[in-house]
Amino acid sequence: MFVDTAKVELHAGKGGDGAVSFRHEIYIPKGGPDGGDGGRGGSIIFKADKDTNTLLDFRFNPILRAENGKNGSGQRSAGHSGKDLIVEVPIGTMIYRLANQAENANQAENASQQTSDRILLADLTHDQETAVIAKGGDGGFGNAHFKSSVRQTPRIAEVGEPGEEFIAELELKLLADIGLVGLPNAGKSTFLSVVSNAKPEIADYPFTTITPNLGVATIDSQDLLIADIPGLIEGASEGKGLGHAFLRHVDRTAVLLHLIDVYNDNAGEAYQTIRTELEKYSDLKNRPEIVALTKTEGLDREIIDMQTASI
Ligand SMILES: Nc1nc2c(ncn2[C@@H]2O[C@H](COP(=O)(O)OP(=O)(O)OP(=O)(O)O)[C@@H](O)[C@H]2O)c(=O)[nH]1
Ligand SMILES: [Mg+2]
């Protein structure tokens, strides 16, 4: 199953507490303070991975925690740091922090009107790229740190700081060079299957493709990444058909390849239908576009020319 959005709750590790402790040695009756520092809390680090293709896992596991730091102890022994949590996500995952997250119930009411505000924390566009998203808390100083000439026996130590905790939104926007758009059944997946290594499902009915496909075409030893998305229909922006949610996956392509079935009654109308939907979706309408007729192999030149002229 392909999932391209998710909401996760992040809990970075708390720092360990510093220790209050004094040296106990037989020949040193008044040993000084020797409480060690607490360890750092683990951070939550997101990492893009080319073998991860969906955000599905987060639907089942929406709470992510990194380990707490260990407390310090005597003999200036520092606590171990908490382990970082490494979270693998597909390349093209954008990680947002919801703005104005309420810290208590009273604030929740005000915040509820602003839940759409969010801050982009990271956009992981390369394989193995990482970003620290929720930082672990610092460990507290043990009492060994607080010794001074006037304070020989400090009985104080710091507690560890809390780790960052917040709700993050993940959004996957595939990164490709070329985005295939068109009506259902136009031949988008067929095109992808012929020019790239991808093996998408192809069939003689609309909505064969229900989640995006990615393929790599190698031309002159250069890789060209091509994204095939489900077909669009009139009203897709209002949720008709599979809706226009999948357009986010061609939002970051350099070029759109708009495929039109030459057997349409009117290729020009088919073209305009898709253009209208692209215009309703952000700035995709300004993306460079290549328009091509499909299924032309058995047709006379005049018919092809007529359809071309109507676009
Ligand atoms: N004759 C001919 N048939 C084609 C060509 N390209 C695609 N087809 C056929 O058109 C039908 C639809 O092809 P798909 O590649 O599944 O179309 P699609 O645009 O991906 O469709 P959706 O995923 O439903 O949006 C299939 O039966 C293909 O075999 C072509 O160049 N010539
Ligand atoms: Mg298809």
Side-chain angles (χ1 to χ4, degrees):
M1 200 168 132
F2 181 85
V3 169
D4 52 11
T5 57
K7 220 179 232 188
V8 288
E9 202 180 300
L10 304 180
H11 298 267
K14 173 188 173 297
D17 298 338
V20 175
S21 164
F22 296 91
R23 264 160 67 196
H24 295 288
E25 285 173 46
I26 299 177
Y27 301 110
I28 309 170
K30 274 196 181 158
D34 72 350
D37 302 340
R40 266 185 55 84
S43 296
I44 301 181
I45 299 172
F46 280 69
K47 178 165 136 186
D49 182 76
K50 66 175 174 25
D51 297 321
T52 305
N53 300 311
T54 158
L55 298 174
L56 178 66
D57 283 356
F58 302 104
R59 289 280 163 101
F60 301 112
N61 190 16
I63 301 178
L64 305 175
R65 289 178 198 280
E67 213 174 74
N68 292 336
K70 295 278 184 301
N71 295 340
S73 51
Q75 300 180 325
R76 287 184 183 249
S77 165
H80 282 293
S81 294
K83 242 196 242 138
D84 292 336
L85 177 70
I86 311 284
V87 182
E88 289 188 344
V89 290
I91 298 171
T93 300
M94 303 170 93
I95 301 147
Y96 294 90
R97 178 182 180 140
L98 292 184
N100 305 311
Q101 285 188 31
E103 303 207 328
N104 61 46
N106 291 342
Q107 287 178 352
E109 247 167 65
N110 303 333
S112 67
Q113 290 149 14
Q114 308 173 17
T115 44
S116 60
D117 291 347
R118 50 187 200 167
I119 304 152
L120 180 64
L121 299 180
D123 182 6
L124 299 176
T125 58
H126 297 98
D127 189 30
Q128 304 304 306
E129 187 180 346
T130 59
V132 177
I133 298 299
K135 260 176 119 172
D138 281 334
F141 282 152
N143 70 340
H145 267 271
F146 296 103
K147 185 180 170 179
S148 66
S149 54
V150 290
R151 188 160 63 185
Q152 296 288 328
T153 56
R155 290 179 191 286
I156 51 162
E158 288 178 333
V159 296
E161 286 179 9
E164 286 188 298
E165 301 193 324
F166 58 92
I167 293 174
E169 272 184 355
L170 312 183
E171 189 178 339
L172 171 59
K173 274 192 180 186
L174 294 181
L175 287 155
D177 302 299
I178 298 178
L180 298 179
V181 294
L183 291 170
N185 223 33
K188 300 179 294 298
S189 302
T190 305
F191 178 85
L192 184 75
S193 73
V194 172
V195 301
S196 82
N197 62 340
K199 301 265 171 287
E201 205 177 321
I202 293 166
D204 194 14
Y205 50 80
F207 304 114
T208 309
T209 301
I210 52 172
T211 63
N213 300 303
L214 263 186
V216 182
T218 308
I219 303 169
D220 297 336
S221 72
Q222 284 219 322
D223 284 350
L224 205 60
L225 204 55
I226 305 172
D228 167 32
I229 61 167
L232 297 167
I233 59 170
E234 190 177 344
S237 57
E238 286 101 55
K240 295 237 176 82
L242 290 174
H244 75 164
F246 291 112
L247 279 176
R248 74 157 66 91
H249 297 296
V250 293
D251 200 10
R252 304 212 270 186
T253 61
V255 181
L256 296 178
L257 175 53
H258 186 158
L259 297 185
I260 301 169
D261 186 337
V262 75
Y263 287 92
N264 267 293
D265 292 344
N266 184 327
E269 268 176 28
Y271 175 74
Q272 280 308 331
T273 301
I274 297 296
R275 288 303 302 174
T276 304
E277 296 310 315
L278 293 179
E279 273 160 32
K280 287 181 182 162
Y281 183 91
S282 72
D283 64 344
L284 265 180
K285 60 176 182 292
N286 302 319
R287 199 63 44 89
E289 179 193 50
I290 298 169
V291 184
L293 290 171
T294 60
K295 316 186 189 179
T296 58
E297 73 276 358
L299 284 182
D300 289 344
R301 189 75 237 177
E302 299 101 80
I303 297 175
I304 297 170
D305 287 345
M306 194 189 73
Q307 288 286 44
T308 307
S310 74
I311 296 169

